[in-house]
Amino acid sequence: MITAEGKSVLVELALSVLLFSTFLYNPVLLLSLAFLTAFFSFYVVGASRRIASFRPESVTVRRSQQVVEVLRGSRFEVRTTVELDWHGNVEVFDAVPPGIRVVSGNPTSKVRCSGRSTVQLSYEAAVWSGYRVVKFEGVRLVLHDPLGLVRGTVFVPAPMEVRVPFERTRHAGLWTTSMVRLSPGSGTVLNQLIGEDYSFVGVRPFSEGDKVRDVHWRKTAA
């Protein structure tokens, strides 16, 4: 795809040839402008074909981990190394899936390549969704020619799986997420006019040593 800069260069050259050929007949200048116009036109066509012939198979992507197990909200590090053979600018974007939030660092990088080059991405992320498994699909590359007139996009698969284990507490051999009424204490004064059914100061997760009769079933169901 021709960039806005490339289009402006070609349009300016074409207008210059038209202007000088109409109002100022100078054979040398006209020949020079015509040569520049033809050169940039052939350059854009050649660069476009070169980008179109670029194959994702020629890019090597390595991740530091293929499977990550982390609790929801906890941070984990993502390290990605991209190796490619290119001349010009390259923008690398790690495709961060929904449910993953970047906490620090940057999942993108822009470098200028001169042959075989290596681009490294390093950032911290966290799982903020209700998913049990979140999958990274790959890396997106935006290739620019050396003059910045043409660009193209290539997607390279680079899978990584982030697993979120169940967050539950164990009691009496059973897994439960029930909420237990907090008993009065620490100077807490209950309003006796409210009634016995609502005489509690709060709830917390069911833990070992709690009584089943103290479970607040309405809060648990909510």
Side-chain angles (χ1 to χ4, degrees), residues 124-146:
E124 285 189 335
V127 180
W128 293 95
S129 70
Y131 301 131
R132 293 299 177 186
V133 177
V134 184
K135 295 182 179 180
F136 284 75
E137 298 296 336
V139 176
R140 182 166 57 91
L141 306 178
V142 180
L143 307 174
H144 298 261
D145 68 290

Side-chain angles (χ1 to χ4, degrees), residues 5 11 25 64 66 89 93 95 98 100 107-108 140 169 172 174 177-178 209 211 214 216 220:
E5 294 80 2
V11 170
Y25 181 74
S64 59
Q66 297 297 325
N89 293 329
F93 300 87
I100 298 292
T108 66
R140 182 166 57 91
T169 55
L174 300 176
T177 54
S178 301
K211 299 178 181 179
D214 292 333
H216 190 273
T220 300

Side-chain angles (χ1 to χ4, degrees), residues 7-208:
K7 292 180 181 179
S8 63
V9 169
L10 295 178
V11 170
E12 289 175 2
L13 288 174
L15 290 177
S16 299
V17 171
L18 180 62
L19 178 65
F20 281 99
S21 63
T22 304
F23 298 102
L24 181 62
Y25 181 74
N26 188 328
V28 177
L29 185 58
L30 287 176
L31 185 61
S32 301
L33 290 175
F35 173 78
L36 289 176
T37 303
F39 170 78
F40 279 104
S41 299
F42 282 110
Y43 175 84
V44 167
V45 172
S48 301
R49 289 183 177 178
R50 182 167 179 263
I51 291 178
S53 64
F54 189 88
R55 293 291 176 262
E57 294 78 11
S58 63
V59 182
T60 302
V61 180
R62 296 191 302 271
R63 293 191 184 271
S64 59
Q65 301 180 74
Q66 297 297 325
V67 178
V68 179
E69 186 169 320
V70 62
L71 295 177
R72 185 179 296 105
S74 301
R75 297 186 178 189
F76 62 94
E77 189 175 14
V78 180
R79 289 184 180 181
T80 307
T81 302
V82 181
E83 294 183 359
L84 72 161
D85 189 2
W86 185 252
H87 291 272
N89 293 329
V90 177
E91 296 178 81
V92 182
F93 300 87
D94 198 354
V96 180
I100 298 292
R101 180 182 300 177
V102 177
V103 179
S104 63
N106 196 346
T108 66
S109 179
K110 183 177 182 180
V111 297
R112 186 169 185 83
C113 302
S114 299
R116 194 69 182 178
S117 305
T118 301
V119 184
Q120 293 185 346
L121 300 177
S122 180
Y123 59 95
E124 285 189 335
V127 180
W128 293 95
S129 70
Y131 301 131
R132 293 299 177 186
V133 177
V134 184
K135 295 182 179 180
F136 284 75
E137 298 296 336
V139 176
R140 182 166 57 91
L141 306 178
V142 180
L143 307 174
H144 298 261
D145 68 290
L147 296 183
L149 302 181
V150 184
R151 69 167 177 260
T153 302
V154 177
F155 183 80
V156 182
M160 185 178 76
E161 192 174 90
V162 181
R163 300 174 182 174
V164 181
F166 287 91
E167 302 170 17
R168 295 180 176 179
T169 55
R170 187 184 179 98
H171 174 68
L174 300 176
W175 294 94
T176 175
T177 54
S178 301
M179 307 301 292
V180 180
R181 304 168 188 252
L182 297 180
S183 57
S186 303
T188 302
V189 178
L190 299 179
N191 188 348
Q192 300 298 330
L193 299 179
I194 294 179
E196 186 175 319
D197 188 36
Y198 295 93
S199 59
F200 64 95
V201 295
V203 292
R204 61 169 173 77
F206 198 94
S207 60
E208 187 173 357

